[in-house]
Amino acid sequence: MRFERVRLRDFKCYDDAELALRDGVTVIYGVNGSGKSSLLEACFFALYGADAVDGTLDEVVSNGAEAMTVELWFTHAGGDFWVEREVKLRSGTAQTTACVLETPDGSVEGVRDVEARIASLLRMDAEAFVNCAYVRQGEVNKLINAAPGERQDMIDDLLQLGRLEEYRERASDARVGVGRVRDDKEGALSQVCEQIEAKEDEDLHARLNELQGRLGDVVDDIEDKRQNREEAEATLESARGVIEEYEARRAEIDELDGEIDELTATISEAEGEREALVERIRSLRETTETLEDELQSTVAETDLDEADPDAVADRLEALDDEVESLRNDIEEHRLAAQEYASTAETKRERAAELREEATEARQRADELDADLEADREALEERRTDLGELDEEIEELRAELSAAPVERSAVEAHRESVEGELTAARERVAELEADLENAEATVREAERLLEAGKCPECGQPVEGSPHVESIDEDRERVEELEADLETAESRVEELEATRERAVELVETGTELGRLEESRENVAELVEQKAETIDGQADRVEERRAEADELSSDAEEAEAAAEKAEAAAGAAREAIGELNAEKATIDERRERVEAVSELLADIEENEREIETLRERRDTKAELNDERRERLADKRERKADLEAEFDPSALEEARDEKARAEDYLEQVGPHLEEQRERRDELQADVGAVENELEELEGLRERRDELDAVVDRLDSLYGEARQLQESYADLRAELRQRNVETLEAMLNETFQLVYENDSYARIELDGDYRLTVYQKDDTPLDPEQLSGGERALFNLSLRCAIYRLLSEGIEGEAPTPPLILDEPTVFLDAGHVSKLVELVESMTAHGVDQIVVVSHDEELVGAADDLLAVRKDPTTNRSSVERSAAVETIPTP
């Protein structure tokens, strides 16, 4: 997997940023707090969302922004992918509003589906990603500080062995579950067999025949008694009709007696109420006369001419208008006093705020003045660095000026020399081959001469072409030897020339790097000087602002005193108006008394008229009641004449006989019905037991088959559980051996001294460091720098194991190191550089490092500079062509 490009909008300290990530070692550098780590966190967040955030989603949205977007382009397994996440603030809470993953196979949307697809692609969730590829700031010691069990779970999960343990546990649970079910089924089978044996011993068919005969006799007896009871019930109903008719007439006579008594009492009561109404009318007339006398005396106390209701109403309305006018004046003065008081309080508060702001402005001016002095000192240091770079550049230029070619032609000169050297070496090889062939020809001719005849054909060799040209061949060998010596001398001369040409190329490259670095440093010096000028202006602005705020505070205090004086004048006016209103209130009360007396007199007149109407109504009602009373007395006499005592006595005798029979037959029928129900229940029970016996036999056959199948399934589950356990143990041991070898290789690369012999990793991932004398040490006993290198070595070894795999390569994300030099001194930092270079040598295509250490920056294939604007507190990132002088944090 490779990160191609990342884009951020309102993510933490970034407004809008986009950068491409290349192969090799990419170093992101800048001062502390500039936002370097936020770029890595953005990539992590794009992949895993909320799981990549330590706090809440609110923290990833820039201050003052309502939404945040992160996009990440990456390649994986030969395909191109793009993931986007958008977070918006709604009612003060951050929510993910968009989450999309574009893959070669189509789009995936939704937080859960996207994160599941990412985890499936990388074969790791957010926690595994941190444990494998992303060494976050301050977590370099995470693996070594973890307990062995935790470390075992981390590494097993990364290597997908945790799934085997999960499968083993599932197989174990399945085996235990099958065992329980099998035991239950065996117990059920035993119970079924016992039940079948018990039921077969009960002779159920004979019991059924006996119960059915007894049930028939009981049913016949119940039918006879039921018919007799119906006849008795009919007789009883007829007798009850006669008795009920008599009782109804008797009840009507009694009801008429009650109504006659009630009407007589009502007529008497109404006459009493009528007399009371006459007395009440007389009393009200006397009260009215008294009220009229009081009215005359009250009118005399007012300025009214007479007790006329309209004149009283008009006078009350005029007085109300005067009171309302005074109330409005009082309210206006009250609001004015309140407004003046509020203004005074506001002005005093504003004066205090202005004085406080003036104090803060002076303090800020002093702070800026102190910062300005520190920045001037830093500027001088930068200028000193610039002078040192100028000296180095002059030395290299002097060295290049002595070269046999111009500076721009050193590379072509090196290539020309290498071409000549290659040709010279090829000439040496040709001469060596020719010399070897010539020497072989001479040796063959000498051998033939010594033998005198050919060993194959037996013919004499005297006069043979091989023998005749031997002198010429020997001369040829001498010429070739001389030519070879000359060619070898030429090769040595060209090799020396090439070494000098290579040195010139390296010098030219270093000079170019230093010149570019000088330009960057000069630019920084110029920027710093401009910043210092701006800070000096801000100091003066802050002090002028403080003086202006103090002047504004004095003006606000004077305005407050003026407002308080105006509020006091308004309160005095309110007092005078309240006194005038009290006088008018007294006059209005006397007029209201006249109005109330007129109302009382009118109310009495109305009540007298109402009482007269009620008196006349009661007289009319009593006349109607006397007519109804005469009718009821006549109806009572008619009912008493129709009554027959002998028919009533006969009906009572028949009712008694029927009730006596029904009282006797009821319990008998109930008893017989109970016997019938019991016999039916017994018959049903026996039939049910016969059906149950047949069902038990079928159940026994089914359980036999189920127990056999469960026995087989139990054995298969046990075998599967053991297979998963054996496979996990085998794979873990292979991983441990490979990881131990990679860890020793990596640690020896970055820590070459005579103190430690090897690192041992047991089957539970417990780590032990052995000294040269074979003394074991816990990794926590190492020094801080050694422990940090040890942990980085372990992280890199795990990453290599995942990347290279046990049996072939496996896709892994980029290796990400966030401030890995935190616990390292200068000596150990160089070892870290070697570690990073070794990872690229082992095939890690992309490594991203966040650091402000110059040595790490110098080892980068690609540099990204992060800066934060002090005025907006927003960060920006740009690609740097050369290493700058990194400010000390």
Side-chain angles (χ1 to χ4, degrees):
M1 176 189 182
R2 288 182 60 256
F3 289 164
E4 295 287 342
R5 184 159 52 102
V6 62
R7 179 186 296 161
L8 300 76
R9 286 189 291 276
D10 292 320
F11 180 87
K12 290 194 172 183
C13 56
Y14 289 91
D15 280 337
D16 192 351
E18 181 176 354
L19 70 149
L21 295 170
R22 301 171 179 172
D23 286 346
V25 180
T26 297
V27 174
I28 303 173
Y29 70 93
V31 299
N32 285 347
S34 60
K36 304 185 297 299
S37 298
S38 296
L39 293 173
L40 303 182
E41 292 169 0
C43 298
F44 191 26
F45 179 80
L47 292 174
Y48 294 102
D51 291 341
V53 180
D54 291 333
T56 62
L57 283 178
D58 304 25
E59 298 174 6
V60 301
V61 182
S62 298
N63 291 334
E66 296 295 328
M68 176 280 297
T69 304
V70 173
E71 298 174 79
L72 178 65
W73 288 261
F74 63 93
T75 60
H76 178 75
D80 294 329
F81 295 80
W82 169 74
V83 61
E84 178 187 31
R85 290 181 187 268
E86 181 184 66
V87 175
K88 290 185 177 179
L89 293 175
R90 293 178 175 172
S91 301
T93 302
Q95 298 178 354
T96 300
T97 55
C99 185
V100 181
L101 173 64
E102 293 289 346
T103 74
D105 300 326
S107 298
V108 181
E109 297 184 2
V111 173
R112 290 189 177 180
D113 293 341
V114 168
E115 291 179 0
R117 186 63 181 274
I118 292 290
S120 175
L121 286 173
L122 302 184
R123 294 188 294 185
M124 60 181 70
D125 56 14
E127 182 179 359
F129 187 88
V130 170
N131 291 333
C132 168
Y134 184 11
V135 182
R136 293 199 286 188
Q137 186 171 350
E139 293 185 0
V140 68
N141 291 332
K142 182 177 179 180
L143 277 176
I144 193 172
N145 292 336
E150 295 174 350
R151 188 184 306 115
Q152 175 181 320
D153 291 340
M154 291 180 191
I155 299 176
D156 279 356
D157 287 344
L158 289 172
L159 299 173
Q160 305 296 310
L161 297 185
R163 291 187 178 273
L164 292 177
E165 178 61 18
E166 179 183 346
Y167 297 155
R168 189 197 66 77
E169 291 177 355
R170 289 181 184 176
S172 175
D173 294 341
R175 178 186 59 79
V176 172
V178 169
R180 290 174 180 169
V181 173
R182 182 194 61 185
D183 294 342
D184 291 343
K185 296 299 181 183
E186 288 178 344
L189 177 61
S190 176
Q191 290 179 352
V192 168
C193 292
E194 292 175 358
Q195 292 172 0
I196 292 173
E197 184 177 354
K199 289 185 181 298
E200 288 175 346
D201 294 338
E202 292 180 1
D203 195 8
L204 296 175
H205 290 286
R207 283 179 57 198
L208 179 62
N209 293 333
E210 179 189 356
L211 290 171
Q212 288 175 340
R214 290 166 59 191
L215 177 61
D217 296 338
V218 172
V219 169
D220 293 341
D221 183 62
I222 289 173
E223 183 62 24
D224 293 340
K225 295 297 187 292
R226 186 186 62 78
Q227 293 178 357
N228 294 336
R229 186 184 66 176
E230 289 178 355
E231 294 174 359
E233 286 175 347
T235 301
L236 178 61
E237 186 65 26
S238 176
R240 282 176 177 169
V242 174
I243 294 171
E244 287 174 359
E245 183 180 358
Y246 165 74
E247 290 177 350
R249 289 178 179 177
R250 183 74 262 171
E252 186 177 356
I253 292 172
D254 293 340
E255 183 179 353
L256 288 170
D257 285 337
E259 291 176 352
I260 291 169
D261 293 340
E262 183 180 352
L263 282 170
T264 303
T266 302
I267 292 169
S268 176
E269 182 181 352
E271 285 297 324
E273 291 177 355
R274 188 167 170 273
E275 292 175 0
L277 289 172
V278 172
E279 183 63 28
R280 174 63 178 158
I281 291 170
R282 186 183 303 111
S283 174
L284 285 172
R285 283 176 181 158
E286 293 174 356
T287 302
T288 300
E289 293 173 358
T290 303
L291 290 172
E292 288 174 346
D293 294 339
E294 185 180 350
L295 175 63
Q296 294 300 324
S297 62
T298 304
V299 169
E301 295 176 358
T302 67
D303 55 358
L304 294 169
D305 296 332
E306 57 180 345
D308 179 56
D310 293 335
V312 171
D314 293 340
R315 187 59 183 155
L316 283 174
E317 184 176 355
L319 291 171
D320 287 340
D321 292 340
E322 292 181 26
V323 170
E324 184 63 27
S325 177
L326 289 171
R327 282 179 180 154
N328 290 336
D329 291 343
I330 292 170
E331 182 63 18
E332 288 178 4
H333 284 83
R334 186 189 65 78
L335 292 174
Q338 183 177 353
E339 182 176 356
Y340 286 132
S342 176
T343 301
E345 183 179 358
T346 302
K347 291 295 184 181
R348 282 210 167 84
E349 290 177 353
R350 180 55 182 161
E353 292 175 357
L354 289 169
R355 284 192 290 269
E356 184 177 350
E357 290 177 8
T359 302
E360 291 177 355
R362 291 190 182 94
Q363 291 176 351
R364 181 56 182 158
D366 294 340
E367 293 173 359
L368 288 173
D369 201 8
D371 294 342
L372 181 60
E373 187 61 29
D375 289 341
R376 285 178 176 144
E377 293 177 359
L379 179 60
E380 288 303 320
E381 293 178 2
R382 290 286 178 88
R383 286 172 174 160
T384 301
D385 294 340
L386 191 61
E388 294 175 356
L389 283 173
D390 287 338
E391 292 176 0
E392 292 182 24
I393 289 171
E394 287 303 321
E395 290 177 2
L396 293 176
R397 285 175 177 170
E399 184 177 346
L400 283 176
S401 65
V405 295
E406 294 295 329
R407 173 182 171 181
S408 59
V410 293
E411 180 65 28
H413 174 63
R414 180 188 63 78
E415 293 175 354
S416 173
V417 171
E418 286 184 346
E420 292 180 15
L421 179 59
T422 301
R425 285 174 174 166
E426 291 175 353
R427 176 60 180 161
V428 167
E430 292 174 359
L431 290 171
E432 287 176 343
D434 292 344
L435 178 60
E436 184 177 353
N437 291 333
E439 289 176 342
T441 301
V442 170
R443 285 195 299 274
E444 177 64 19
E446 290 176 345
R447 185 179 65 80
L448 291 174
L449 283 175
E450 183 178 353
K453 59 182 179 180
C454 178
E456 294 181 0
C457 61
Q459 297 296 323
V461 298
E462 190 71 29
S464 170
H466 295 293
V467 175
E468 290 295 329
S469 63
I470 188 170
D471 292 335
E472 295 178 0
D473 291 337
R474 286 171 179 163
E475 291 177 0
R476 175 63 177 161
V477 167
E478 291 176 357
E479 291 175 359
L480 288 173
E481 286 176 345
D483 291 343
L484 179 60
E485 183 177 356
T486 301
E488 287 175 343
S489 299
R490 178 60 177 165
V491 167
E492 292 176 358
E493 179 183 347
L494 288 173
E495 284 178 345
T497 304
R498 185 194 63 175
E499 289 178 2
R500 176 56 181 162
V502 170
E503 290 175 358
L504 289 174
V505 170
E506 292 174 351
T507 300
T509 301
E510 179 65 14
L511 177 58
R513 186 186 68 80
L514 289 175
E515 288 174 343
E516 186 172 357
S517 179
R518 188 207 180 279
E519 291 178 3
N520 292 332
V521 173
E523 181 182 354
L524 289 175
V525 169
E526 183 178 353
Q527 292 174 355
K528 197 66 174 178
E530 292 176 356
T531 302
I532 289 173
D533 293 339
Q535 285 179 332
D537 293 339
R538 287 197 295 275
V539 170
E540 293 304 322
E541 289 173 1
R542 292 291 184 183
R543 287 178 175 153
E545 181 184 353
D547 294 340
E548 184 179 350
L549 289 170
S550 296
S551 176
D552 292 344
E554 293 174 0
E555 293 177 2
E557 190 68 37
E561 293 176 357
K562 182 178 178 181
E564 284 184 348
R571 294 189 190 98
E572 291 177 2
I574 291 171
E576 296 172 359
L577 290 170
N578 280 329
E580 183 178 353
K581 179 178 175 293
T583 302
I584 295 174
D585 288 341
E586 291 176 0
R587 292 165 56 195
R588 189 182 186 285
E589 288 175 2
R590 288 193 291 270
V591 177
E592 280 184 342
V594 172
S595 177
E596 291 172 358
L597 287 170
L598 287 171
D600 291 342
I601 292 170
E602 185 180 356
E603 178 66 25
N604 281 350
E605 292 294 342
R606 285 197 300 270
E607 187 173 357
I608 288 171
E609 184 62 29
T610 300
L611 292 174
R612 284 174 182 163
E613 292 176 356
R614 289 176 61 192
R615 180 191 63 188
D616 296 341
T617 300
K618 287 186 179 294
E620 293 174 359
L621 288 174
N622 264 357
D623 292 340
E624 293 175 0
R625 291 186 187 108
R626 289 186 182 98
E627 292 177 1
R628 291 203 306 274
L629 180 60
D631 293 340
K632 290 184 182 296
R633 284 173 177 166
E634 183 179 355
R635 172 60 180 163
K636 177 184 176 185
D638 293 341
L639 289 172
E640 287 176 347
E642 294 174 358
F643 183 67
D644 183 5
S646 61
L648 175 63
E649 189 63 28
E650 183 180 354
R652 284 176 175 167
D653 291 341
E654 289 181 353
K655 177 176 176 292
R657 287 193 297 273
E659 287 177 344
D660 182 58
Y661 179 77
L662 290 173
E663 183 179 356
Q664 294 176 6
V665 77
H668 179 75
L669 280 173
E670 186 66 27
E671 181 181 348
Q672 289 295 85
R673 288 192 183 100
E674 290 178 358
R675 290 184 60 197
R676 179 196 62 192
D677 294 342
E678 291 174 357
L679 288 170
Q680 286 177 343
D682 292 341
V683 169
V686 172
E687 290 175 344
N688 289 338
E689 288 188 13
L690 288 170
E691 293 178 1
E692 191 175 327
L693 176 60
E694 187 62 28
L696 287 171
R697 288 169 178 161
E698 294 176 358
R699 176 66 175 159
R700 178 186 58 191
D701 296 340
E702 293 174 359
L703 288 172
D704 274 334
V706 169
V707 169
D708 291 340
R709 290 196 300 272
L710 289 172
D711 277 335
S712 174
L713 186 58
Y714 184 85
E716 293 174 0
R718 180 190 296 277
Q719 183 178 1
L720 183 61
Q721 176 186 352
E722 293 172 352
S723 298
Y724 280 134
D726 294 343
L727 179 59
R728 183 172 186 237
E730 179 184 350
L731 290 177
R732 179 185 289 171
Q733 184 58 39
R734 292 167 63 188
N735 289 338
V736 166
E737 293 172 359
T738 305
L739 183 59
E740 183 182 52
M742 290 182 174
L743 176 57
N744 277 283
E745 177 185 345
T746 305
F747 190 66
Q748 289 172 5
L749 172 68
V750 301
Y751 201 82
E752 298 176 353
N753 67 10
D754 296 330
S755 299
Y756 306 111
R758 70 186 188 284
I759 299 171
E760 184 177 280
L761 184 67
D762 66 11
D764 293 327
Y765 299 107
R766 279 190 292 265
L767 295 157
T768 306
V769 180
Y770 284 91
Q771 299 184 81
K772 289 297 185 178
D773 58 1
D774 221 26
T775 301
L777 289 177
D778 189 278
E780 293 186 358
Q781 295 176 272
L782 301 176
S783 68
E786 292 172 338
R787 191 162 58 251
L789 283 176
F790 179 85
N791 275 282
L792 287 171
S793 300
L794 178 58
R795 284 294 192 104
C796 292
I798 292 174
Y799 185 91
R800 282 184 56 196
L801 179 60
L802 290 175
S803 176
E804 298 176 8
I806 300 300
E807 296 178 351
E809 294 185 356
T812 51
L815 178 60
I816 303 172
L817 306 175
D818 190 356
E819 294 289 3
T821 63
V822 171
F823 302 104
L824 302 180
D825 55 24
H828 288 113
V829 170
S830 62
K831 298 299 182 181
L832 176 60
V833 173
E834 295 180 11
L835 175 60
V836 171
E837 292 175 347
S838 72
M839 293 300 291
T840 60
H842 283 100
V844 180
D845 294 332
Q846 193 175 47
I847 300 176
V848 182
V849 183
V850 164
S851 180
H852 56 268
D853 190 280
E854 292 189 21
E855 189 166 356
L856 268 181
V857 171
D861 298 317
D862 191 21
L863 293 178
L864 298 175
V866 177
R867 297 181 178 86
K868 179 174 284 189
D869 189 334
T871 58
T872 63
N873 205 30
R874 288 290 181 264
S875 299
S876 61
V877 60
E878 61 183 12
R879 181 160 273 103
S880 178
V883 182
E884 296 180 355
T885 301
I886 307 303
T888 302

